[in-house]
Amino acid sequence: MELKRNGSQPSQKGLTNISPAQCGSIRRFQATEPGRAGGAIVTFEPGARTAWHFHPLGQTLIVVSGCGWVQSEGQQKVEIRPGDIVWCPSNERHWHGATPTTSMTHVAIAEALDGKVVEWIEKVSDEQCLGQ
């Protein structure tokens, strides 16, 4: 068993795949071999969101604070709140992030397939994010 205490690992600030506001912090975790699950605790500042992306083996999001949105391509944007658990199926294009006025923190979990966890695509426009 390995325990990583809060504060024992540096958090990252901002990613190129988060737009337009900054991501507050990202704390990553990764299983050791033979495990292939990993993820991050991600805090989005108001208005911050991921780019469109997909995961070869899917992704689970667990919302722990704030209020945000998630949307799969071709579907309606959905509000997410603390306690909500979102399953994004394998290879389904989607994005997620905070609302314009509220930050949001979630735990994101995904497995690697042949070393690949995520495929980033184009950024989500303001029109796509704010539209219905």
Side-chain angles (χ1 to χ4, degrees):
M1 180 181 294
E2 181 180 1
L3 170 63
K4 294 183 180 178
R5 296 265 183 213
N6 187 18
S8 67
Q9 301 178 95
S11 64
Q12 296 176 284
K13 294 283 186 185
L15 290 174
T16 59
N17 296 314
I18 305 287
S19 67
Q22 289 297 310
C23 193
S25 69
I26 302 166
R27 293 179 30 220
R28 297 186 185 281
F29 56 90
Q30 182 64 50
T32 55
E33 293 288 337
R36 58 184 186 181
I41 302 168
V42 183
T43 298
F44 296 87
E45 295 300 328
R49 57 190 176 262
T50 67
W52 286 100
H53 64 285
F54 63 87
H55 303 271
L57 294 177
Q59 179 184 49
T60 300
L61 304 173
I62 304 167
V63 183
V64 295
S65 68
C67 182
W69 289 326
V70 64
Q71 183 177 19
S72 290
E73 187 174 48
Q75 297 181 18
Q76 292 286 326
K77 172 180 66 185
V78 177
E79 185 176 275
I80 52 176
R81 294 191 169 270
D84 290 348
I85 299 171
V86 179
W87 166 245
C88 304
S90 301
N91 300 313
E92 184 172 276
R93 280 175 49 112
H94 67 280
W95 65 270
H96 36 96
T99 67
T101 58
T102 308
S103 64
M104 188 266 296
T105 299
H106 67 43
V107 177
I109 303 166
E111 292 183 280
L113 177 64
D114 299 324
K116 187 126 183 123
V117 176
V118 63
E119 180 74 31
W120 294 105
I121 312 170
E122 76 274 2
K123 292 190 176 187
V124 176
S125 70
D126 287 342
E127 184 178 273
Q128 289 173 316
C129 177
L130 300 174
Q132 297 299 323

